[in-house]
PDB file of all heavy atoms in Angstrom:
ATOM      1  N   TYR B  11      89.232 112.189 138.932  1.00 42.00           N
ATOM      2  CA  TYR B  11      90.693 112.254 138.810  1.00 42.00           C
ATOM      3  C   TYR B  11      91.167 111.731 137.463  1.00 42.00           C
ATOM      4  O   TYR B  11      92.126 112.227 136.894  1.00 42.00           O
ATOM      5  CB  TYR B  11      91.347 111.454 139.929  1.00 42.00           C
ATOM      6  CG  TYR B  11      91.387 112.183 141.252  1.00 42.00           C
ATOM      7  CD1 TYR B  11      90.647 111.748 142.325  1.00 42.00           C
ATOM      8  CD2 TYR B  11      92.164 113.338 141.380  1.00 42.00           C
ATOM      9  CE1 TYR B  11      90.674 112.432 143.531  1.00 42.00           C
ATOM     10  CE2 TYR B  11      92.187 114.032 142.580  1.00 42.00           C
ATOM     11  CZ  TYR B  11      91.438 113.575 143.656  1.00 42.00           C
ATOM     12  OH  TYR B  11      91.458 114.245 144.835  1.00 42.00           O
ATOM     13  N   LYS B  41     134.693 131.391 128.891  1.00 54.00           N
ATOM     14  CA  LYS B  41     135.451 131.978 129.974  1.00 54.00           C
ATOM     15  C   LYS B  41     136.932 131.793 129.710  1.00 54.00           C
ATOM     16  O   LYS B  41     137.366 130.712 129.310  1.00 54.00           O
ATOM     17  CB  LYS B  41     135.080 131.319 131.297  1.00 54.00           C
ATOM     18  CG  LYS B  41     133.639 131.576 131.719  1.00 54.00           C
ATOM     19  CD  LYS B  41     133.360 130.922 133.055  1.00 54.00           C
ATOM     20  CE  LYS B  41     131.928 131.180 133.472  1.00 54.00           C
ATOM     21  NZ  LYS B  41     131.641 130.574 134.791  1.00 54.00           N
ATOM     22  N   LEU B  44     141.997 130.415 133.704  1.00 57.00           N
ATOM     23  CA  LEU B  44     142.564 131.094 134.850  1.00 57.00           C
ATOM     24  C   LEU B  44     144.074 131.165 134.708  1.00 57.00           C
ATOM     25  O   LEU B  44     144.746 130.157 134.452  1.00 57.00           O
ATOM     26  CB  LEU B  44     142.198 130.368 136.139  1.00 57.00           C
ATOM     27  CG  LEU B  44     140.693 130.339 136.490  1.00 57.00           C
ATOM     28  CD1 LEU B  44     140.459 129.507 137.731  1.00 57.00           C
ATOM     29  CD2 LEU B  44     140.174 131.771 136.689  1.00 57.00           C
ATOM     30  N   HIS B 142     157.610  47.148 146.086  1.00 89.00           N
ATOM     31  CA  HIS B 142     156.502  46.194 146.027  1.00 89.00           C
ATOM     32  C   HIS B 142     155.219  46.799 146.600  1.00 89.00           C
ATOM     33  O   HIS B 142     154.124  46.530 146.086  1.00 89.00           O
ATOM     34  CB  HIS B 142     156.869  44.924 146.802  1.00 89.00           C
ATOM     35  CG  HIS B 142     158.079  44.221 146.263  1.00 89.00           C
ATOM     36  ND1 HIS B 142     159.005  43.594 147.071  1.00 89.00           N
ATOM     37  CD2 HIS B 142     158.532  44.073 144.987  1.00 89.00           C
ATOM     38  CE1 HIS B 142     159.962  43.074 146.326  1.00 89.00           C
ATOM     39  NE2 HIS B 142     159.692  43.349 145.060  1.00 89.00           N
ATOM     40  N   TYR B 160     150.831  37.380 148.470  1.00 95.00           N
ATOM     41  CA  TYR B 160     149.376  37.282 148.561  1.00 95.00           C
ATOM     42  C   TYR B 160     148.937  35.818 148.678  1.00 95.00           C
ATOM     43  O   TYR B 160     148.005  35.492 149.424  1.00 95.00           O
ATOM     44  CB  TYR B 160     148.735  37.926 147.334  1.00 95.00           C
ATOM     45  CG  TYR B 160     147.231  37.857 147.342  1.00 95.00           C
ATOM     46  CD1 TYR B 160     146.491  38.546 148.301  1.00 95.00           C
ATOM     47  CD2 TYR B 160     146.555  37.094 146.403  1.00 95.00           C
ATOM     48  CE1 TYR B 160     145.110  38.475 148.319  1.00 95.00           C
ATOM     49  CE2 TYR B 160     145.172  37.024 146.413  1.00 95.00           C
ATOM     50  CZ  TYR B 160     144.458  37.712 147.369  1.00 95.00           C
ATOM     51  OH  TYR B 160     143.091  37.631 147.386  1.00 95.00           O
ATOM     52  N   LEU B 174     141.695  23.189 154.228  1.00 92.00           N
ATOM     53  CA  LEU B 174     141.464  22.878 152.815  1.00 92.00           C
ATOM     54  C   LEU B 174     142.747  22.458 152.105  1.00 92.00           C
ATOM     55  O   LEU B 174     142.822  22.515 150.880  1.00 92.00           O
ATOM     56  CB  LEU B 174     140.865  24.102 152.106  1.00 92.00           C
ATOM     57  CG  LEU B 174     139.527  24.606 152.635  1.00 92.00           C
ATOM     58  CD1 LEU B 174     139.124  25.888 151.918  1.00 92.00           C
ATOM     59  CD2 LEU B 174     138.447  23.537 152.473  1.00 92.00           C
ATOM     60  N   LEU B 191     162.828  31.184 130.074  1.00 87.00           N
ATOM     61  CA  LEU B 191     164.274  31.181 130.290  1.00 87.00           C
ATOM     62  C   LEU B 191     164.814  29.787 130.607  1.00 87.00           C
ATOM     63  O   LEU B 191     165.921  29.430 130.194  1.00 87.00           O
ATOM     64  CB  LEU B 191     164.629  32.153 131.432  1.00 87.00           C
ATOM     65  CG  LEU B 191     164.271  33.624 131.200  1.00 87.00           C
ATOM     66  CD1 LEU B 191     164.608  34.456 132.435  1.00 87.00           C
ATOM     67  CD2 LEU B 191     165.005  34.166 129.977  1.00 87.00           C
ATOM     68  N   PRO B 250     150.625  29.388 123.032  1.00 76.00           N
ATOM     69  CA  PRO B 250     150.879  27.957 122.835  1.00 76.00           C
ATOM     70  C   PRO B 250     151.914  27.410 123.799  1.00 76.00           C
ATOM     71  O   PRO B 250     151.949  26.205 124.065  1.00 76.00           O
ATOM     72  CB  PRO B 250     151.375  27.882 121.388  1.00 76.00           C
ATOM     73  CG  PRO B 250     151.896  29.250 121.081  1.00 76.00           C
ATOM     74  CD  PRO B 250     151.055  30.196 121.880  1.00 76.00           C
TER      75      PRO B 250
END
Side-chain angles (χ1 to χ4, degrees):
Y11 281 113
K41 295 181 180 181
L44 296 176
H142 300 143
Y160 179 66
L174 300 175
L191 298 177

